Amino acid sequence: MRKKILLEVYPKSKDLQKQWFVQFWTNGIRPKRVKLHIPNVPDVQKRMELAQQIISDIQSNGYVPQVKKKVKHQSDVGALLRNRFLERRDTLRNKTKCCYDSILKNYDAFLVGKDVNDKNIGKLFLKEIMLSGKKNATVNKHRVVLKSFYAGLVEDEILSFNPFDKTKKLNNNSTGSQYFKIRQIEELKQYMHASQLEFLWKAVVWIFYCYIRPGELRLVKVGDVDFDEWKVFMRGEISKNKKDEWIAIPDALKAYIAPMCLYQYDANFYLVGRDGLPSSEPVPTNWWSRHHLEMLRTLNYSERYNFYSWKHSGVCHAYRNGMDLRELQVQLRHHSLEMVAIYLKSMGANDMPSARSKAPKI
């Protein structure tokens, strides 16, 4: 019999890309291994603090296992799914939170007056949103998110079945957002300068030259920029991949921002504010995207273009100007060269010059 509970934090490597948990063995004739998960906050010290709270609570009050409540009938499904979302909410990016919240609201509205014990309820929901005009990519996103939430509830024996298990993924031939051609870049640049959208251009140049995602750029601070070596520290807490990484500031961007003397601002100010200069408050979510969309509509651009297109544009034009895949990988913060190649292919920018110039004549 074990007289003392030994509590340990895993993984030992303290790798933030892995799920952390406190592990111990219960006392008794048949000791049982218990794992208590730690929220995926993007900081080693914060995760260790949360782990210590769990350990302290067990040492003070002992371990009381949660009794899983098995539900034979799926009654308040909407509330159960919402609770599962709230359990994960603090570990999600803001954009992901908004996406999941919207999907759950759509599903809640659909469930009104429906038989939630109908095992075809998942197929019926996906069919309804497809007939409402949603693109296949949007329908597939609803399917993946709801299937995942249901799976957790079924695994915990809270629900008896997953209505999305037998649903199928729809074909998705969407090309996504496209990159701007040289003439388009010049047209948009002139329009922004002439239409009191200079603040928008100041955000565009960071995205175009450094491949920083819009959601990341709004949270970059003046103190994250090294004005001696001209590079930007992308903090894991704001990065999509949750990793701390440095990216270079190209000479063209350096020449543009140097006269602004950004280093004179408070280090805690957000680098690009509403007026395009550092500010004590970050710009609201989708602040740039809304103004950019209005401009594109005014100029009759297709829906294939959006604010994110500037990141694609910077990458594609840099590649065609001779930047190799390894340099692009570092700047893009992609984990492999293959990922960069796939990215370029999706943009249609991976064609080789020799394919045009060296093809034989017949």
Side-chain angles (χ1 to χ4, degrees):
M1 180 182 294
R2 296 170 181 262
K3 295 183 178 180
K4 182 179 180 181
I5 295 179
L6 178 63
L7 299 113
E8 296 183 287
V9 179
Y10 288 88
K12 295 293 187 181
S13 63
K14 302 297 184 288
D15 185 352
L16 289 175
Q17 301 306 306
K18 296 181 179 180
Q19 173 66 60
W20 285 32
F21 56 90
V22 173
Q23 177 179 290
F24 62 93
W25 290 81
T26 60
N27 287 327
I29 299 175
R30 294 183 180 178
K32 180 181 179 182
R33 184 173 64 174
V34 177
K35 290 183 179 180
L36 300 176
H37 290 295
I38 300 168
N40 292 326
V41 293
D43 183 274
V44 171
Q45 183 178 350
K46 290 181 180 178
R47 284 201 198 181
M48 287 302 297
E49 291 174 357
L50 292 171
Q52 191 55 51
Q53 289 177 13
I54 295 173
I55 291 172
S56 298
D57 182 59
I58 294 174
Q59 290 174 337
S60 300
N61 306 313
Y63 171 65
V64 179
Q66 293 184 344
V67 178
K68 295 179 181 178
K69 184 179 179 182
K70 187 172 182 179
V71 179
K72 294 182 178 180
H73 299 287
Q74 312 197 159
S75 53
D76 197 359
V77 172
L80 292 171
L81 294 171
R82 174 68 58 178
N83 289 337
R84 184 53 58 113
F85 165 58
L86 294 176
E87 290 173 3
R88 297 176 52 188
R89 197 173 190 278
D90 292 340
T91 67
L92 304 174
R93 297 168 60 232
N94 286 335
K95 188 174 182 179
T96 305
K97 292 177 189 176
C98 293
C99 174
Y100 287 6
D101 184 58
S102 176
I103 289 173
L104 290 174
K105 285 180 179 177
N106 290 341
Y107 193 53
D108 282 343
F110 169 79
L111 290 178
V112 175
K114 303 291 193 309
D115 178 9
V116 294
N117 294 304
D118 182 354
K119 292 189 177 182
N120 290 315
I121 195 75
K123 291 181 181 179
L124 295 174
F125 171 67
L126 296 178
K127 182 178 181 180
E128 178 167 302
I129 61 174
M130 182 175 62
L131 293 175
S132 70
K134 299 292 184 184
K135 295 181 179 179
N136 284 7
T138 303
V139 177
N140 288 335
K141 185 66 176 180
H142 279 67
R143 173 183 174 270
V144 169
V145 172
L146 291 169
K147 183 178 180 181
S148 173
F149 284 148
Y150 263 106
L153 293 171
V154 171
E155 182 180 352
D156 291 344
E157 298 183 340
I158 296 174
L159 294 182
S160 56
F161 67 89
N162 186 338
F164 290 88
D165 267 346
K166 295 184 179 180
T167 58
K168 295 182 179 180
K169 179 181 178 181
L170 300 178
N171 291 329
N172 180 22
N173 297 319
S174 174
T175 56
S177 56
Q178 299 298 296
Y179 70 97
F180 295 116
K181 309 305 184 289
I182 296 297
R183 63 172 180 79
Q184 294 173 318
I185 291 175
E186 188 58 33
E187 177 186 36
L188 294 170
K189 177 182 177 181
Q190 290 181 6
Y191 184 90
M192 281 183 264
H193 288 320
S195 305
Q196 297 183 335
L197 292 174
E198 187 70 29
F199 71 91
L200 190 57
W201 179 251
K202 284 183 170 68
V204 163
V205 293
W206 284 99
I207 294 171
F208 180 84
Y209 285 116
C210 295
Y211 320 146
I212 302 175
R213 301 172 181 87
E216 297 171 337
L217 180 61
R218 60 183 291 270
L219 299 176
V220 172
K221 295 186 177 181
V222 173
D224 295 327
V225 183
D226 185 333
F227 292 101
D228 292 322
E229 297 187 13
W230 292 97
K231 56 186 181 180
V232 184
F233 180 60
M234 298 301 298
R235 290 173 281 121
E237 62 195 75
I238 68 172
S239 296
K240 183 178 181 180
N241 63 10
K242 304 300 181 184
K243 294 182 179 179
D244 292 337
E245 295 175 290
W246 287 95
I247 54 175
I249 295 177
D251 291 341
L253 177 58
K254 174 182 174 182
Y256 177 76
I257 64 175
M260 300 180 191
C261 300
L262 300 176
Y263 58 85
Q264 295 182 349
Y265 289 85
D266 190 311
N268 289 315
F269 273 29
Y270 294 92
L271 184 64
V272 187
R274 286 175 181 256
D275 61 354
L277 295 173
S279 169
S280 59
E281 297 290 335
V283 299
T285 304
N286 298 326
W287 165 260
W288 296 310
S289 297
R290 289 198 300 271
H291 288 86
H292 193 267
L293 178 59
E294 184 178 343
M295 173 182 68
L296 293 181
R297 286 174 174 170
T298 300
L299 296 174
N300 295 317
Y301 275 68
S302 77
E303 62 178 18
R304 296 171 62 197
Y305 298 98
N306 52 43
F307 191 56
Y308 209 92
S309 293
W310 288 105
K311 174 177 176 287
H312 301 328
S313 303
V315 174
C316 293
H317 289 300
Y319 175 68
R320 286 181 166 166
N321 281 351
M323 185 181 290
D324 64 38
L325 290 182
R326 175 56 184 166
E327 292 171 324
L328 280 173
Q329 180 193 349
V330 174
Q331 282 290 90
L332 279 166
R333 292 166 283 144
H334 284 181
H335 73 273
S336 68
L337 292 175
E338 181 183 10
M339 190 174 179
V340 179
I342 293 173
Y343 180 95
L344 291 169
K345 183 178 180 180
S346 70
M347 293 292 107
N350 64 330
D351 55 313
M352 303 300 175
S354 59
R356 300 175 186 273
S357 61
K358 295 184 179 180
K361 294 181 179 180
I362 58 173

